[in-house]
């Protein structure tokens, strides 16, 4: 029987860092819900469930987990692009700049050629 794990050290560094950052983002979202904002279905799905499911799936070499990780990183990036186009790019260069950088980096980790090739070859 196969052992299920939260983190796989045998995967490429791009996937390892992506998994850790997805877990961290989900943990920070849980803290934000507990201490700051209200819980809504989109926040629950996009900020907590999808990143945890994606990270866990990637750590266990599942294609569905990889696709969930792509969605968990791609949807916030698309929302940031939409925000930049509607409000203006200058609005992103305030306190949101770190959020923009981390969102782009997290998405880039999962679409990196090392990550894609590893997922294509080894994930089932």
């Amino acid at each position: 029987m196969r052992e299920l794990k939260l983190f796989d050290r045998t995967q490429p560094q791009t996937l390892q860092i992506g998994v850790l950052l997805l877990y961290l983002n989900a943990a920070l979202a849980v803290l934000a819900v507990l201490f700051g904002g209200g819980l809504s279905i989109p926040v629950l799905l996009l900020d907590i469930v999808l990143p945890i499911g994606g990270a866990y799936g990637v750590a266990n070499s599942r294609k569905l987990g990889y696709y969930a990780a792509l969605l968990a990183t791609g949807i916030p990036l698309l929302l940031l692009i939409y925000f930049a186009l509607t409000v203006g790019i200058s609005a992103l260069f305030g306190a949101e700049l770190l959020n923009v950088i981390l969102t782009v980096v997290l998405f880039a980790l999962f679409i990196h050629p090392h990550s894609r090739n590893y997922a294509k070859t080894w994930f089932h």
Side-chain angles (χ1 to χ4, degrees):
M1 182 166 193
R2 187 178 167 147
E3 176 187 345
L4 296 178
K5 49 192 154 196
L6 293 175
F7 184 74
D8 188 2
R9 294 178 192 260
T10 63
Q11 292 179 343
Q13 285 182 338
T14 53
L15 287 176
Q16 290 179 18
I17 294 168
V19 166
L20 289 176
L21 288 177
L22 278 178
Y23 283 137
L24 179 64
N25 280 350
L28 292 175
V30 167
L31 289 176
V33 166
L34 290 176
F35 295 112
L39 183 63
S40 65
I41 299 299
V43 168
L44 178 68
L45 289 176
L46 186 60
D47 291 341
I48 299 171
V49 174
L50 200 57
I52 290 174
Y56 186 75
V58 169
N60 288 290
S61 300
R62 303 283 184 203
K63 282 187 181 179
L64 187 60
Y66 180 72
Y67 296 136
L70 283 176
L71 280 175
T73 58
I75 292 173
L77 181 62
L78 289 175
L79 291 174
L80 280 173
I81 291 170
Y82 174 75
F83 179 71
L85 292 175
T86 57
V87 176
I89 294 177
S90 61
L92 298 178
F93 291 112
E96 295 292 319
L97 184 60
L98 183 61
N99 187 26
V100 171
I101 292 170
L102 290 176
T103 303
V104 170
V105 166
L106 191 55
F107 184 71
L109 285 170
F110 285 102
I111 63 164
H112 192 277
H114 289 284
S115 298
R116 286 191 328 227
N117 290 336
Y118 187 87
K120 189 186 311 180
T121 304
W122 296 105
F123 285 15
H124 49 349

